[in-house]
Amino acid sequence: HMNFTVLIPLYKNNVASQVEEALTSVLGQSRPAEQVMVLLDGPVPADLSATLDRFAAKGVRVESFPVNRGLPTILNEGLRLAETDWVFRMDGDDVATPTRFEKQAAFLSDHPEVKLLGGQVSEFADIPSNSVLTRKVPQTYDEILRFSRSRNPFNHPTVAYDRRAALSIGGYDERLVDFEDYDLWTRMLQAGMRAHNLPDILVHMRTGDDFVLRRSGLRYLKREWAFLRKLRRRKYIGLPLFCLFIVIRLPLRLLPQSLLRLLYRRFLRPPC
């Protein structure tokens, strides 16, 4: 019998009503999780705190960390605190489809060799059922390997992974803010761990202008540069691809946000 913990990191900018929607979707699953764990990265506003108190009364485990330490560090804390074999990820502003856990648990039970499993997401602006677009990622192991050389092959909020497998390679790299998930997937793949993506939409993902804002500017460019250098050091990407990224990808981060938003919408929308 497979067992799993849902990890949901939150911080002060999470909106209480959105967190309520996210947690309601997690607790309303056709196949419930053994544990739902919220990780509070630093102090949060009173309305969010009150919302979490209500869900704590329904069995949600709330772990509070007094100082904001960043997403990769908080996720590593969650990995260590979880007592189950598997971890399922979810974000505090997204909505899980009612059969998400059931589909992933069934697939993993039938495919014990798979250590990392994701799926598709649909994006929405206001109401989950009003999808703006579907973000598709490759399904098979070979396709994922190929795709991962140039883009993130997983939608992070849909991912389920073997907790011990992730910990055995050091968990999330806490220096790689914004790229901690992509980095972990490539390290799992490089270690020979099998991976797969389901064709099903597993999560309705909230999108907005801040999606582009978070992926532009000098700070993001520096973080992407650190990640690309690590990929090259690990020989995950060759020199030609590394040079191509420097010429094409990095300058994109310094474009005006209106132009970057247009490009993302048309050509560049990556998995998250």
Side-chain angles (χ1 to χ4, degrees):
H1 172 71
M2 79 161 298
N3 53 74
F4 61 91
T5 298
V6 184
L7 283 189
I8 306 172
L10 299 175
Y11 75 126
K12 64 180 182 186
N13 286 5
N14 280 104
V15 179
S17 60
Q18 294 175 4
V19 170
E20 177 145 8
E21 212 172 353
L23 285 170
T24 300
S25 77
V26 166
L27 294 185
Q29 290 286 306
S30 58
R31 191 308 195 177
E34 274 66 35
Q35 186 162 67
V36 178
M37 190 189 300
V38 168
L39 305 163
L40 283 188
D41 190 11
V44 296
D47 60 341
L48 179 52
S49 192
T51 298
L52 292 174
D53 286 346
R54 285 204 310 279
F55 280 96
K58 297 177 184 179
V60 171
R61 178 176 170 184
V62 179
E63 293 287 342
S64 301
F65 301 93
V67 178
N68 179 280
R69 292 155 68 198
L71 184 58
T73 306
I74 287 302
L75 286 173
N76 279 338
E77 292 282 10
L79 272 182
R80 288 187 284 267
L81 287 168
E83 293 154 8
T84 53
D85 297 332
W86 284 82
V87 158
F88 282 40
R89 276 283 289 113
M90 177 80 183
D91 284 336
D93 52 356
D94 300 330
V95 179
T97 57
T99 55
R100 175 199 162 176
F101 298 166
E102 183 185 341
K103 285 173 178 170
Q104 288 184 284
F107 183 90
L108 291 168
S109 294
D110 291 343
H111 300 84
E113 75 284 0
V114 170
K115 301 297 178 192
L116 174 60
L117 176 68
Q120 316 304 321
V121 297
S122 72
E123 294 187 351
F124 72 97
D126 44 11
I127 302 161
S129 54
N130 283 359
S131 173
V132 213
L133 110 120
T134 304
R135 205 183 300 182
K136 291 212 156 83
V137 282
Q139 292 173 42
T140 67
Y141 175 64
D142 290 338
E143 288 171 329
I144 286 167
L145 269 183
R146 269 199 308 276
F147 195 87
S148 70
R149 309 281 174 196
S150 56
R151 293 172 76 191
N152 190 338
F154 292 94
N155 289 308
H156 196 181
T158 70
V159 164
Y161 52 83
D162 183 309
R163 187 174 73 91
R164 289 185 189 88
L167 284 171
S168 73
I169 55 166
Y172 292 91
D173 184 337
E174 296 178 9
R175 297 161 301 178
L176 289 180
V177 179
D178 288 329
F179 292 90
E180 69 284 332
D181 59 313
Y182 190 175
D183 172 69
L184 179 58
W185 317 148
T186 61
R187 283 187 288 119
M188 290 179 83
L189 292 167
Q190 199 164 16
M193 297 176 195
R194 303 291 289 189
H196 190 83
N197 275 310
L198 296 178
D200 314 71
I201 289 173
L202 300 179
V203 171
H204 299 299
M205 191 171 163
R206 199 178 300 272
T207 187
D209 287 347
D210 69 327
F211 185 92
V212 173
L213 293 180
R214 290 199 311 269
R215 285 157 180 75
S216 64
L218 192 58
R219 188 171 66 168
Y220 191 85
L221 184 150
K222 286 177 178 172
R223 289 170 176 176
E224 188 163 25
W225 169 238
F227 172 58
L228 292 174
R229 284 173 59 206
K230 187 179 178 190
L231 284 184
R232 179 69 194 122
R233 267 198 315 275
R234 282 171 33 217
K235 297 187 167 51
Y236 199 78
I237 57 174
L239 188 59
L241 193 55
F242 179 66
C243 293
L244 189 67
F245 286 157
I246 291 170
V247 172
I248 292 175
R249 247 162 84 164
L250 294 181
L252 281 175
R253 307 304 173 193
L254 301 178
L255 288 176
Q257 280 159 6
S258 54
L259 183 55
L260 191 60
R261 193 173 292 123
L262 183 67
L263 285 171
Y264 260 91
R265 208 164 285 147
R266 290 285 170 84
F267 310 109
L268 301 170
R269 197 63 155 172
C272 53

